[in-house]
Amino acid sequence: MSENAVTGGGGQDWARWHEYYDDPASGLSQRLNLVQGQLGLAISAAPAGPVSLLSLCAGQGRDVLGVLPDHPRRDDVAAVLVELDPANAASARDRAGQAGLASVEVRTADAGQAANYADAFPADVLLLCGIFGNVSATDIHRTVRAAAAMCKEGGTVLWTRHRGAPDFTGQIRAWFAEAGFAELAFEAPPEHVYISLGANRLDRAGPEARVPAGRLFTFRAG
């Protein structure tokens, strides 16, 4: 079961999948609100001066582009959004342009290949939203370890994962702790098992903190 279950859809048409964001009652819309809330806090908590932000599998960028335009530190933030689907990437570029966010770069590229954005880390804020419900446990573990190398010390990572049986979020939280992250928040609305959001701060990078030369993760079908 993938994180696309928050919509109740099959998740094959990624552009159409984003239409559920427009329904305030949808699980996807509720998840977006949680991500945006934690993202605003993460940007505010970044050290004074420039703030680097990296979002993988960014989709249409609704999380980042829903926060930056009105954030007090919008001019501090330089963001790289990585999205493979050309239509969604184009939509994100349009949204950034309409908001006057010249420091937001949208790359049409495979986020599963870290070489496509190696110049953008380590980042103050790293978004791994919509990934962990679509990849294998091995890929999740690899990505968590890599996150410790993709974040600056004191940087924040945001991640999402459904809690459908078997609930794997406890293991993911433990892996973040092992990788040197302190948990800032874990939001899991009891009324919706397909929504959970973790926010973690990198306190110390562990010995396995590295970005693999090969693939970081591969999306599973369905």
Side-chain angles (χ1 to χ4, degrees):
M1 181 181 294
S2 75
E3 286 192 341
N4 297 331
V6 298
T7 69
Q12 298 301 315
D13 184 338
W14 291 104
R16 183 175 179 276
W17 181 80
H18 281 72
E19 294 176 4
Y20 289 95
Y21 280 123
D22 298 323
D23 177 4
S26 73
L28 198 58
S29 179
Q30 294 173 44
R31 189 184 75 179
L32 176 63
N33 290 336
L34 295 181
V35 174
Q36 288 179 337
Q38 289 295 333
L39 177 57
L41 293 175
I43 294 172
S44 295
V51 178
S52 55
L53 184 153
L54 174 62
S55 177
L56 305 187
C57 298
Q60 296 176 357
R62 297 198 185 201
D63 39 21
V64 175
L65 301 177
V67 171
L68 276 188
D70 299 318
H71 198 280
R73 299 191 64 185
R74 61 169 278 167
D75 294 333
D76 291 340
V77 178
V80 174
L81 279 56
V82 185
E83 169 56 36
L84 181 61
D85 184 85
N88 284 332
S91 177
R93 289 190 195 96
D94 289 344
R95 290 172 183 270
Q98 292 168 9
L101 296 169
S103 60
V104 172
E105 177 190 354
V106 180
R107 297 185 186 178
T108 306
D110 180 3
Q113 192 74 45
N116 288 330
Y117 47 87
D119 59 312
F121 56 73
D124 292 293
V125 182
L126 173 65
L127 275 71
L128 302 174
C129 298
I131 297 174
F132 290 169
N134 294 302
V135 303
S136 69
T138 299
D139 282 0
I140 295 173
H141 196 189
R142 183 185 302 112
T143 302
V144 170
R145 292 198 303 266
M150 292 193 288
C151 282
K152 295 179 182 177
E153 185 174 329
T156 302
V157 59
L158 305 181
W159 58 274
T160 60
R161 162 79 186 201
H162 67 77
R163 288 173 288 122
D167 183 358
F168 203 62
T169 57
Q171 179 62 73
I172 296 172
R173 296 165 75 182
W175 282 339
F176 270 107
E178 291 172 2
F181 287 88
E183 187 169 272
L184 301 176
F186 180 72
E187 302 190 55
E191 70 277 10
H192 211 311
V193 71
Y194 295 121
I195 301 175
S196 65
L197 165 68
N200 299 74
R201 182 189 64 238
L202 182 62
D203 285 347
R204 54 166 182 79
E208 295 186 349
R210 64 180 183 85
V211 180
R215 291 200 64 81
L216 191 58
F217 55 79
T218 300
F219 264 44
R220 298 179 296 192

